[in-house]
Amino acid sequence: MDKFLLQQQVLERLAEDLLQAEQAARAAHETATHEENIAENKYDTLGLEAAYLATGQARRAEAIRQAMVHWRQFRPLPYDASKGIQLGALVCLVNADDQQQQLFLGPDGGSMKLLSGDQFVQVISSDAPLARAVLGKCEGDEVSIQIAAVRQQFEVLQVL
């Protein structure tokens, strides 16, 4: 798997998300400012609700723009066993049932699932609980995380 191709897929997906958020913000703004949505009494809140929605969509678009900046500046380095797993690592985990999971650790804002060849790769930020659990680990190390009442155990099978 090529980390740089994964990075390009993340940027493409973020660009699609940005386009959708901008369109949603424009539509909500148009609804909020349309003359038919001027409040006639205190119970007529459609315009106000649309204004709140437009503000939220605009904030979402800005967060996506910031994520795109971080992902453009991101330079994944090759795995260095002396440092263990770092940001930019492509990690293969295996659980007790021999189910494998591919992770790509990247900057904030890129949490998504991608298809690389015939394998799914989960892109996670370093703030994700699983990412925090694997940071600094090496191939063969055990990783354990608690999700709600369930403790999950993994072994680091491979790191690129």
Side-chain angles (χ1 to χ4, degrees):
M1 259 180 254
D2 186 337
K3 293 189 231 184
F4 297 103
L5 289 177
L6 288 171
Q7 181 178 8
Q8 290 307 310
Q9 283 184 287
V10 169
L11 284 166
E12 288 169 9
R13 179 85 62 83
L14 287 172
E16 292 169 7
D17 291 350
L18 178 60
L19 182 63
Q20 289 176 353
E22 288 173 339
Q23 289 172 344
R26 275 192 301 277
H29 181 267
E30 289 170 8
T31 300
T33 58
H34 194 275
E35 65 185 39
E36 290 181 6
N37 293 328
I38 296 173
E40 294 176 6
N41 59 51
K42 67 180 182 178
Y43 302 108
D44 193 2
T45 61
L46 181 62
L48 181 61
E49 291 168 8
Y52 284 133
L53 182 58
T55 300
Q57 291 294 351
R59 286 183 183 147
R60 176 168 155 56
E62 183 55 32
I64 294 170
R65 281 188 207 93
Q66 289 301 313
M68 290 177 75
V69 167
H70 294 171
W71 274 92
R72 281 189 193 110
Q73 296 171 348
F74 179 53
R75 300 292 177 257
L77 299 174
Y79 172 63
D80 180 352
S82 68
K83 293 181 182 178
I85 296 170
Q86 301 294 314
L87 196 63
L90 187 57
V91 181
C92 179
L93 299 178
V94 63
N95 65 14
D97 298 327
D98 281 333
Q99 294 175 325
Q100 294 185 12
Q101 178 179 2
Q102 302 288 332
L103 303 175
F104 182 44
L105 279 66
D108 288 343
S111 295
M112 62 186 69
K113 191 173 269 194
L114 302 174
L115 186 60
S116 178
D118 61 348
Q119 291 185 334
F120 283 102
V121 178
Q122 181 67 48
V123 180
I124 59 175
S125 76
S126 59
D127 291 338
L130 185 54
R132 287 194 308 263
V134 299
L135 286 172
K137 302 285 186 184
C138 298
E139 291 180 357
D141 285 351
E142 295 288 324
V143 176
S144 177
I145 61 169
Q146 184 83 25
I147 300 178
V150 179
R151 177 159 295 286
Q152 295 184 356
Q153 300 272 123
F154 301 96
E155 179 185 341
V156 178
L157 197 59
Q158 183 182 25
V159 184
L160 300 174

